[in-house]
Amino acid sequence: MEWLRNEDLVDPSLDPNVYITREHSLVVRQARLADTANYTCVAMSSLGVIEAVAQITVKCEQGPWGS
């Protein structure tokens, strides 16, 4: 299983703000406006490939004063 962000492979080793759980869920910590994107989960097996897409929109960023 793999995750794509706007058709680019999500690599948690390159972005400390994201991680993939043991259950294969993608978690974005401290989401920023730049994290707004289409995220696609792609599962592959000998039976074929299936995809699910979620559009994530970050509305605002939290400032140092809180929200």
Side-chain angles (χ1 to χ4, degrees):
M1 185 174 302
E2 62 187 19
W3 280 93
L4 305 173
R5 180 180 182 273
N6 290 336
E7 301 183 16
D8 294 323
L9 185 64
V10 174
D11 185 349
S13 68
L14 299 177
D15 186 351
N17 201 42
V18 300
Y19 69 94
I20 299 171
T21 69
R22 283 189 280 168
E23 294 82 18
H24 305 289
S25 296
L26 179 73
V27 177
V28 179
R29 295 180 280 226
Q30 299 177 353
R32 305 164 300 217
L33 292 174
D35 293 316
T36 294
N38 287 326
Y39 291 85
T40 306
C41 179
V42 182
M44 298 161 272
S45 76
S46 60
L47 299 175
V49 177
I50 190 167
E51 298 180 357
V53 180
Q55 182 180 19
I56 305 300
T57 303
V58 179
K59 297 284 187 174
C60 65
E61 294 186 60
Q62 181 175 339
W65 53 87
S67 59

